[in-house]
Amino acid sequence: AFFISILVMVFALVTFTVVKLQIHASSSTNAKNKMPLHHAYKRIKSKFLPGYQGSMHYYKHIHTDAEFIGYTPLDKTQDKAFGISFRTKPRNNNGVAHILEHSVLSGSKKYPAKDPFLHLMKGSLQTFLNAMTYNDRTVYPIASRNSKDFRNLMSVYLDAVFNPHCVEESGEWILKQEGWRYDVVDGDDENMSNSDQENMNSNSQQQDDKNTTIIEEVPRKELELKGVVYSEMKGVFSNPESLLYRHTSKLLFPDNTYHYDSGGEPKYIATLSHAEFVDFYNKHYHPTNSKIFISGTVDDIESAMELIHSSYLSNYEKDEKIKKNSEISFQKKKFSHHLYQSRPYSVTEITHDEGQHMLSITWLLNDDSMRSMLELSFFVLDHLLIGTSSSPLNKELMDSGLGSSVIGYGLDTGLLQSTFAVGMKGVKASEIDDLEDLIFDVLKGVVRNGFEEDDIKAAMNSIEFQLREVQTGSTPAGVNIFLQLLEKWNYDIDPYSALEYEDALNNLKKTINKEGSSYFVSLVEKYLLHNTHRVHMELSPSSTLEQDTIDEEKKTMKAQLDTMSDSEYIDVIKQAENLKEIQNTEDPPEVIDTVPMLSIEDIDRNGVEYPVEIIEDAYDTGATLVSQSVDGSPGIIYIDLGVDISTISYADIGLLPFVTTILTESNTTIHSRTDLDRLIGIYTGGVKVDLELIPVHDPSEENIFASENTKMRSILFLRGKCTVENAVTMLSLMKEIIEKTEVLSQEKAIQLLERDIEDLKSDISSGGHSYSVRKMHSRYDVKSFLNEKLFGVKQLITLENLLKNAKNNWSGLQKRLSNMLDINSTLRPSRTIINLTGDRETLVSVFLEVEDFIRSLNQDGDVVNLPDFS
């Protein structure tokens, strides 16, 4: 019966695929030939993009020169997406671009509610809603599957950027809320006595009458700075790796806009006036300086064109001066010798026996436009140097013991100019010079020895896979495409060049066939070894910096307070009271009603369904086989190989995250880690390891909430992706990782534990609120309790204890880790889950290979006994 069901399923898939391909061929032709048209826009170019399975249409608005792209995917079930971007060019560190991004969303002419998006979210089916400030642009993207919701979101965003309340005189309070303001300490002016308040009012009147200042007669309280962006950036500037990046950019770009922090430095944010705020808006938020994007059907795009033209763009005139003034200039390479700087960062305590310093070296790669093939070459070189744990820079730095973990973002191509950065944290002060020397010694070694041919193949395959994979992660495809386009479009470079890679890829392949490793060696020599336009940035720990910063802020506030007249001080108090009153006053019903909402009738009850097939005893082996048909990247199969590890004792559960590290870092009995990483690179698009905790519901209980149950399934997943022809190889590599991974050496275990501890500490420091929430949730159900143990602050404590054991009782820890790995030494069908995801044609192509793989597993029929955590 099982075989019949499999045959029926395969036949249905094949039949559906054939029909689909026939429909697809017809619809493809129609989609390619039909293009959105509107009298107010001049079409520049239309082109079908095979890699993205959609057509892109490029226009200019005739009246304003606003640039507009409409993208029509063949897959009509894709989320509809809208985005508008303005090139925003900071000229100082007051964060005006960032504050504007927050402020324009606080009410507009058509939607005057204080926070229209708060109301909008209550009646929206949005799948993406955000706003982002980059170094040189501000972007407002949204997405939704529902047509009416999409139009609602687009309308609110358009009115927010073109008619914001914050640039009006009556909207000055928004700058105080979102940017900065003075307030009394504790922010509670209501604690002031009635007599004090009366005295202040009286003195204010006297000052108005006599035009005198009577500072000593007015009761005063200590002042402090507040504001959403001000507080946000104080947090950003407390994160060491963020500081490293920001200090480096300031030195690496002495002459262009990247010298300044678009997010804002806290001490400069408080210098921003409302007049400067409005001026920046007027000089940047103009249609001539905008890029507009729509992803959807032809009808979606044409209706958007009409809305944007008739309601907004038609009210403006073209202003070439605005666009010219926002252009981003290249920073020329000008350093005759690299720059070095050491800056402090805050730590609670300085420990002299442990490394707490950080060092990063950042190179500026280009000072004029970069050819597509060269840019693609840098992606491959980046993968060759630091792409895997076996890559030379990664491996040599970690093996050196000079630091706890590798830092630096590697290649960054998201702005006009590209950079490459690498370094380490957890470095001792006495070994900073050794680390600098090692980085350059590794690069010199690469020049001497070149790269292995198979390493180049692996890097090329990994990069090509990334290029061809249209949909990744949870962000809607249309939003991803818009953000990708802006990496060229923002600089008035042909936007199609951001998506078209075939010519560059083919040229690179020809170059590699001709020159081999020597091509990449020449890049290392020219752009890294012989490139003096680079910054060596060291961060050194300071146990007094945080208090020094607080004291300096208090000193500044006291100076401000001492120079304020009575009326100025009273204005501060009154403005704070006025802001509180505005914040605490509900928008009237008629204002709330202006915000568009969905009704029940607007919701498609059918939705979009993705067929899921679940076979719990696949091929009579006990294995569970799940297949999901999803249109996306043709010819790519996503495979999740899950192993039930619920039999692990409770005492060892805390070790599971480190076990996943071992699986991604250690040798197997068949291959060294270097060889394994190379094979993964050549034959797959990547393999990663995840832990899943799944509460199990008892069918006999009426309560359907699984979180109330005390039994859990713990599943170790290896998740990979590859082209259809490499599915067998990827499954074989996954099986090898699960069954044949060896325990690390003591030295390597200590190295990885130190790295994981540093990374987790950094994450807790920058995202403490999420760890607090996780800790609170852990009190209420089993899954949350285990999540805290595995991924929360408790995991940090576990890792620190493991590090002590690794140093002082290695044999005991080694035995525990070995026992945990031995649980998977034989992959058994009854403990195995395989999940396949791809389009139907792809699924049909791999079923026989997956069947052979499942049948090859050890058939012993063991049963997993779920642990009870009651």
Side-chain angles (χ1 to χ4, degrees):
F2 173 78
F3 292 108
I4 293 174
S5 66
I6 287 289
L7 288 171
V8 169
M9 184 172 70
V10 171
F11 177 76
L13 285 170
V14 172
T15 303
F16 180 90
T17 301
V18 171
V19 172
K20 180 183 173 185
L21 287 173
Q22 292 172 344
I23 297 172
H24 179 78
S26 174
S27 62
S28 296
T29 303
N30 292 335
K32 293 176 192 177
N33 293 334
K34 189 175 181 183
M35 63 188 69
L37 296 172
H38 191 282
H39 66 87
Y41 301 80
K42 177 184 178 182
R43 185 173 64 86
I44 307 299
K45 185 178 181 180
S46 290
K47 190 171 184 180
F48 181 75
L49 304 175
Y52 289 82
Q53 289 294 288
S55 296
M56 197 165 88
H57 310 280
Y58 183 26
Y59 307 84
K60 277 195 177 182
H61 184 251
I62 296 169
H63 195 57
T64 64
D65 251 11
E67 295 180 44
F68 182 100
I69 285 179
Y71 170 72
T72 53
L74 293 180
D75 179 9
K76 304 306 178 188
T77 66
Q78 274 191 23
D79 300 35
K80 303 173 191 301
F82 159 79
I84 184 165
S85 176
F86 300 93
R87 192 160 60 204
T88 45
K89 182 178 179 179
R91 290 172 171 82
N92 53 45
N93 292 308
N94 63 15
V96 60
H98 187 189
I99 296 170
L100 257 174
E101 175 237 302
H102 281 247
S103 299
V104 298
L105 304 178
S106 295
S108 64
K109 182 178 180 181
K110 189 175 180 181
Y111 306 108
K114 295 192 298 291
D115 191 348
F117 293 92
L118 180 64
H119 301 296
L120 188 66
M121 291 287 286
K122 296 175 183 177
S124 171
L125 295 174
Q126 58 84 21
T127 54
F128 193 91
L129 181 68
N130 207 346
M132 298 95 94
T133 304
Y134 292 78
N135 300 55
D136 55 18
R137 57 189 179 270
T138 307
V139 186
Y140 300 87
I142 61 97
S144 178
R145 287 181 178 273
N146 183 283
S147 295
K148 184 174 181 180
D149 189 41
F150 172 67
R151 291 192 295 272
N152 290 346
L153 293 166
M154 180 168 55
S155 178
V156 174
Y157 256 47
L158 284 166
D159 210 62
V161 298
F162 286 122
N163 297 314
H165 185 38
C166 63
V167 295
E168 300 170 0
E169 187 175 345
S170 59
E172 190 170 348
W173 64 268
I174 298 173
L175 173 59
K176 298 183 184 303
Q177 172 182 274
E178 301 298 329
W180 74 277
R181 64 185 182 277
Y182 293 124
D183 202 346
V184 295
V185 171
D186 299 326
D188 187 3
D189 309 318
E190 295 171 5
N191 290 335
M192 188 176 293
S193 68
N194 291 334
S195 60
D196 285 346
Q197 185 68 54
E198 289 172 4
N199 287 337
M200 287 178 61
N201 292 338
S202 174
N203 284 328
S204 176
Q205 184 62 49
Q206 291 175 30
Q207 179 175 324
D208 291 340
D209 293 341
K210 301 177 182 178
N211 195 28
T212 60
T213 301
I214 316 174
I215 296 177
E216 66 279 7
E217 294 184 16
V218 178
R220 299 200 175 198
K221 288 189 174 184
E222 192 177 340
L223 291 181
E224 64 180 339
L225 285 168
K226 291 184 178 180
V228 174
V229 171
Y230 176 78
S231 299
E232 177 187 333
M233 295 311 295
K234 282 182 74 175
V236 169
F237 273 75
S238 68
N239 180 282
E241 290 184 47
S242 176
L243 271 179
L244 199 65
Y245 169 78
R246 286 171 153 76
H247 290 326
T248 296
S249 294
K250 189 171 289 189
L251 292 179
L252 195 66
F253 298 100
D255 304 320
N256 76 350
T257 191
Y258 300 144
H259 177 76
Y260 302 109
D261 196 313
S262 62
E265 283 192 44
K267 66 179 179 181
Y268 295 113
I269 286 174
T271 66
L272 177 63
S273 68
H274 192 256
E276 187 177 359
F277 177 76
V278 173
D279 183 61
F280 190 90
Y281 172 84
N282 290 333
K283 288 179 177 177
H284 295 85
Y285 280 61
H286 188 282
T288 308
N289 193 44
S290 69
K291 315 290 185 187
I292 306 171
F293 175 86
I294 299 286
S295 174
T297 65
V298 171
D299 289 341
D300 290 330
I301 295 170
E302 288 182 342
S303 63
M305 285 174 144
E306 173 57 27
L307 169 67
I308 295 167
H309 165 70
S310 60
S311 297
Y312 300 101
L313 303 191
S314 61
N315 300 322
Y316 290 83
E317 298 292 333
K318 180 167 68 174
D319 192 333
E320 282 297 333
K321 184 179 178 182
I322 281 181
K323 188 170 185 177
K324 181 71 176 174
N325 288 340
S326 74
E327 286 180 357
I328 310 300
S329 61
F330 280 96
Q331 170 65 58
K332 290 300 179 182
K333 294 182 182 180
K334 57 190 281 187
F335 301 164
S336 58
H337 188 271
H338 75 267
L339 300 184
Y340 166 82
Q341 188 175 87
S342 179
R343 300 292 297 269
Y345 79 98
S346 180
V347 296
T348 305
E349 180 184 5
I350 293 179
T351 54
H352 296 287
D353 58 333
E354 295 181 11
Q356 291 179 294
H357 288 247
M358 301 182 185
L359 176 74
S360 178
I361 300 177
T362 306
W363 289 263
L364 179 63
L365 297 181
N366 65 306
D367 57 5
D368 55 14
S369 297
M370 191 185 295
R371 293 178 294 111
S372 296
M373 193 192 92
L374 180 59
E375 185 175 350
L376 186 57
S377 301
F378 279 129
F379 278 104
V380 178
L381 180 62
D382 176 72
H383 193 279
L384 284 167
L385 291 174
I386 62 170
T388 71
S389 60
S390 304
S391 299
L393 269 176
N394 246 341
K395 188 175 189 306
E396 294 295 332
L397 293 182
M398 287 302 297
D399 289 350
S400 71
L402 292 174
S404 59
S405 63
V406 176
I407 58 174
Y409 45 76
L411 179 67
D412 184 356
T413 61
L415 301 175
L416 178 67
Q417 294 178 263
S418 298
T419 57
F420 181 84
V422 69
M424 294 194 84
K425 62 181 176 180
V427 184
K428 293 179 180 178
S430 59
E431 296 180 334
I432 287 290
D433 290 344
D434 295 336
L435 178 56
E436 283 183 300
D437 292 342
L438 178 60
I439 289 172
F440 283 91
D441 285 345
V442 173
L443 295 175
K444 290 172 184 175
V446 166
V447 171
R448 277 194 311 273
N449 305 318
F451 295 102
E452 294 286 340
E453 183 179 347
D454 280 349
D455 287 333
I456 296 174
K457 284 181 182 177
M460 283 292 292
N461 179 71
S462 297
I463 299 304
E464 184 172 354
F465 203 101
Q466 292 172 22
L467 292 171
R468 297 192 185 282
E469 195 176 19
V470 177
Q471 179 66 42
T472 57
S474 58
T475 303
V479 174
N480 273 333
I481 290 171
F482 174 49
L483 298 179
Q484 194 173 343
L485 287 170
L486 288 173
E487 293 186 5
K488 301 297 180 186
W489 199 15
N490 188 62
Y491 312 108
D492 301 321
I493 300 170
D494 179 12
Y496 287 83
S497 66
L499 303 182
E500 295 179 316
Y501 56 84
E502 289 290 355
D503 288 346
L505 183 62
N506 290 332
N507 289 336
L508 179 56
K509 287 178 177 178
K510 290 177 184 176
T511 301
I512 293 172
N513 287 335
K514 182 180 178 181
E515 301 181 30
S517 174
S518 63
Y519 173 68
F520 293 104
V521 165
S522 69
L523 297 182
V524 173
E525 286 186 295
K526 179 178 179 179
Y527 292 97
L528 299 179
L529 279 177
H530 299 157
N531 181 1
T532 54
H533 196 104
R534 63 179 189 267
V535 171
H536 297 215
M537 178 62 65
E538 177 187 356
L539 287 192
S540 55
S542 169
S543 57
T544 63
L545 178 63
E546 183 176 1
Q547 189 59 50
D548 290 345
T549 304
I550 292 171
D551 292 344
E552 182 65 27
E553 185 176 309
K554 286 183 177 180
K555 183 179 177 181
T556 302
M557 289 299 96
K558 186 177 185 306
Q560 289 290 339
L561 187 63
D562 290 345
T563 58
M564 281 183 183
S565 66
D566 278 359
S567 63
E568 288 172 334
Y569 177 74
I570 293 169
D571 280 346
V572 167
I573 303 301
K574 288 184 175 180
Q575 287 170 9
E577 289 177 341
N578 180 55
L579 178 59
K580 286 175 188 171
E581 184 178 355
I582 292 172
Q583 291 171 332
N584 294 330
T585 302
E586 294 286 338
D587 288 318
E590 63 271 19
V591 169
I592 296 175
D593 288 344
T594 64
V595 180
M597 298 276 193
L598 290 180
S599 64
I600 295 294
E601 292 73 25
D602 298 320
I603 299 173
D604 182 359
R605 295 177 182 273
N606 296 321
V608 178
E609 293 188 8
Y610 296 99
V612 177
E613 299 281 350
I614 302 175
I615 304 172
E616 294 186 344
D617 186 18
Y619 313 107
D620 292 327
T621 63
T624 301
L625 177 62
V626 182
S627 60
Q628 304 176 73
S629 175
V630 179
D631 288 332
S633 304
I636 295 177
I637 183 71
Y638 298 83
I639 301 179
D640 300 331
L641 176 58
V643 184
D644 198 313
I645 54 173
S646 300
T647 54
I648 288 178
S649 69
Y650 175 76
D652 288 332
I653 284 178
L655 276 67
L656 284 174
F658 187 56
V659 170
T660 65
T661 297
I662 293 173
L663 293 172
T664 58
E665 297 279 355
S666 186
N667 301 328
T668 69
T669 57
I670 301 173
H671 292 104
S672 68
R673 190 72 226 180
T674 299
D675 290 340
L676 194 59
D677 284 341
R678 187 179 292 142
L679 290 169
I680 289 171
I682 291 173
Y683 294 107
T684 81
V687 175
K688 65 178 183 177
V689 183
D690 277 339
L691 280 173
E692 289 282 353
L693 303 176
I694 305 173
V696 177
H697 170 60
D698 186 345
S700 65
E701 295 180 2
E702 291 185 5
N703 188 351
I704 65 169
F705 293 103
S707 61
E708 298 295 329
N709 200 285
T710 57
K711 292 190 174 182
M712 305 283 297
R713 291 190 74 183
S714 303
I715 300 178
L716 183 73
F717 274 108
L718 268 72
R719 306 186 192 276
K721 50 194 176 185
C722 64
T723 52
V724 170
E725 62 270 18
N726 291 323
V728 174
T729 303
M730 185 169 76
L731 283 168
S732 177
L733 290 170
M734 288 177 161
K735 185 172 185 285
E736 178 184 336
I737 292 170
I738 291 173
E739 292 187 338
K740 306 297 183 183
T741 293
E742 296 179 321
V743 177
L744 301 160
S745 67
Q746 181 181 13
E747 181 183 5
K748 186 70 173 178
I750 291 172
Q751 177 192 109
L752 294 177
L753 282 166
E754 288 177 340
R755 182 197 69 184
D756 290 353
I757 288 169
E758 284 298 319
D759 289 347
L760 188 51
K761 281 182 177 178
S762 178
D763 199 38
I764 291 172
S765 174
S766 61
H769 61 288
S770 63
Y771 284 87
S772 299
V773 171
R774 183 185 282 117
K775 182 71 173 176
M776 288 187 291
H777 284 176
S778 70
R779 301 172 57 189
Y780 298 109
D781 63 79
V782 174
K783 182 176 181 180
S784 296
F785 173 79
L786 293 176
N787 272 330
E788 163 63 17
K789 190 174 182 66
L790 292 170
F791 310 115
V793 176
K794 279 189 177 179
Q795 178 60 202
L796 177 60
I797 297 170
T798 298
L799 289 173
E800 289 174 335
N801 288 333
L802 289 178
L803 181 58
K804 290 177 184 177
N805 287 332
K807 291 178 177 179
N808 304 320
N809 182 23
W810 172 241
S811 61
L813 178 58
Q814 185 182 37
K815 185 175 180 180
R816 287 180 71 188
L817 294 172
S818 180
N819 289 339
M820 294 181 74
L821 291 172
D822 284 345
I823 292 175
N824 302 321
S825 60
T826 302
L827 198 56
R828 296 175 175 86
S830 58
R831 295 170 48 219
T832 301
I833 301 171
I834 296 180
N835 176 51
L836 308 174
T837 305
D839 61 34
R840 290 184 176 271
E841 186 177 5
T842 299
L843 292 175
V844 170
S845 301
V846 300
F847 268 131
L848 290 179
E849 286 86 352
V850 172
E851 177 185 354
D852 290 341
F853 175 78
I854 292 174
R855 291 188 181 281
S856 72
L857 303 180
N858 191 338
Q859 312 282 329
D860 71 346
D862 66 335
V863 177
V864 175
N865 295 313
L866 298 178
D868 194 315
F869 294 100
S870 58

